[in-house]
Amino acid sequence: MNDFDYKPPTDPWLDTIYKDKDMIVFNKPAGILSVPGRDIERHDSIYSRLLELHPNSHTVHRLDLATSGVIIFALKKEAERALKIQFQERETKKIYYARVLGHVPQPQGCIDVPLSKDKENPPKHKVDFESGKACKTFYEVVSYGKQSTLIKLMPVTGRTHQLRLHMMAMGYPILGDDFYAEPLALSLSPRLLLHASEISIKHPYTKKMVCFKTDVPFLEAIGEQ
C-alpha cells in the first residue's frame, strides 16, 4: 500500500442524502477514505471534508476506501454515543450489494466463517477457523450476468473486509477487489463492486427507526465479455 496513488474523487465534494441537527448522511463514492489516513498524502477523506463544514462532528462507523454507499456521521457528542452503541451492539440493519465472479447456485443462504488479521500481510485479513472472530453474513441472489452474479448481502457482524472474504470463501470473489480477487475478477471492473445500499438505525434523538438508501451503481453487468 505504500506505493498506492491516492486520488479521491472530488465531484461532488460531499454527496449529502440526509441532514438534521443530530446527524448527517452521505453517499460515499468509491476511492475515498472514510477518515484521514496516517500520512498527509491521505488526509483527504469524507470526515476531513465534513470537519471543514461542521468542526464538532464525530465518526460513527466506516466504509473501506474501495466501498461506496451510505455512511453516517454524528453532529453532536450525544448523537455519537447513541449511534455508536447501535453499531457496537449490532442493532443496525445493513444491506450491501456486490457483483461477484461466477454464478452463485443457491438463491439464498448464510456464510458463517471466522476471520482474523493477516499479520504477515497487513492490512489484509484472512479466514481463520482456529483463532478467528465469529462472522456471519446472509445473502440473496438478485440476478445473473454473463460471468457474474449480483448478490444482496446482509452482514450480522461488521468485521474488516468481512464481505470480501466471505464471498471469497464461497468461491465467488467480488469483481474489482484488488486485495483478494483472482486476475479475472480483478480485470472485470476498475473498482470494487461493493456498495452499502441501505442502513436502518434508531434516530439518536427521536428514537424512531429511520432508513437511508442509495442506488446501486452497478445493477447492470456492464463490460462483461
Side-chain angles (χ1 to χ4, degrees):
M1 292 291 288
N2 291 334
D3 57 355
F4 172 64
D5 188 15
Y6 183 49
K7 294 181 179 179
T10 57
D11 186 19
W13 187 247
L14 288 171
D15 185 1
T16 306
I17 59 176
Y18 178 83
K19 179 180 180 293
D20 63 22
K21 63 182 179 62
D22 296 287
M23 61 182 183
I24 190 165
V25 185
F26 299 114
N27 183 15
K28 175 191 169 300
I32 186 170
L33 294 165
S34 294
V35 299
R38 292 183 178 180
D39 50 50
I40 190 65
E41 289 82 7
R42 300 187 185 104
H43 176 76
D44 190 14
S45 66
I46 297 294
Y47 185 46
S48 57
R49 293 178 184 185
L50 172 61
L51 286 173
E52 294 175 359
L53 302 173
H54 299 280
N56 294 320
S57 57
H58 306 274
T59 59
V60 174
H61 69 122
R62 302 181 186 185
L63 294 176
D64 286 346
L65 167 84
T67 305
S68 57
V70 180
I71 186 167
I72 301 171
F73 293 88
L75 297 179
K76 292 182 176 181
K77 193 66 179 177
E78 296 83 357
E80 178 203 17
R81 285 193 290 266
L83 291 168
K84 274 188 173 178
I85 288 172
Q86 294 182 62
F87 280 93
Q88 291 167 357
E89 298 298 323
R90 302 173 188 170
E91 296 172 354
T92 59
K93 292 183 179 180
K94 295 174 282 186
I95 296 176
Y96 291 74
Y97 284 83
R99 187 167 288 281
V100 301
L101 181 66
H103 288 175
V104 179
Q106 297 295 330
Q108 60 186 30
C110 178
I111 310 162
D112 192 353
V113 175
L115 305 174
S116 68
K117 291 182 179 180
D118 188 345
K119 295 180 180 179
E120 296 181 358
N121 298 288
K124 291 183 178 181
H125 287 60
K126 63 181 180 179
V127 172
D128 184 350
F129 287 98
E130 293 185 358
S131 57
K133 294 182 179 179
C135 296
K136 184 178 288 187
T137 304
F138 289 94
Y139 71 88
E140 294 177 6
V141 169
V142 179
S143 62
Y144 295 108
K146 190 176 294 184
Q147 299 183 69
S148 68
T149 302
L150 181 66
I151 196 163
K152 180 181 179 181
L153 300 170
M154 294 150 285
V156 178
T157 49
R159 308 293 183 199
T160 300
H161 297 172
Q162 175 176 323
L163 300 180
R164 303 192 201 197
L165 285 167
H166 272 182
M167 296 316 300
M168 283 289 295
M170 281 183 65
Y172 303 96
I174 299 176
L175 301 187
D177 186 352
D178 61 354
F179 268 27
Y180 304 105
E182 60 194 63
L184 177 57
L186 182 59
S187 70
L188 287 174
S189 174
R191 60 152 291 193
L192 176 73
L193 295 189
L194 178 62
H195 183 76
S197 175
E198 187 174 325
I199 296 182
S200 297
I201 60 166
K202 186 183 295 182
H203 191 280
Y205 180 73
T206 68
K207 309 305 180 186
K208 294 180 179 180
M209 289 300 297
V210 289
C211 181
F212 305 106
K213 300 180 181 181
T214 59
D215 294 334
V216 182
F218 46 83
L219 284 178
E220 302 298 326
I222 299 172
E224 291 188 28
Q225 302 297 322

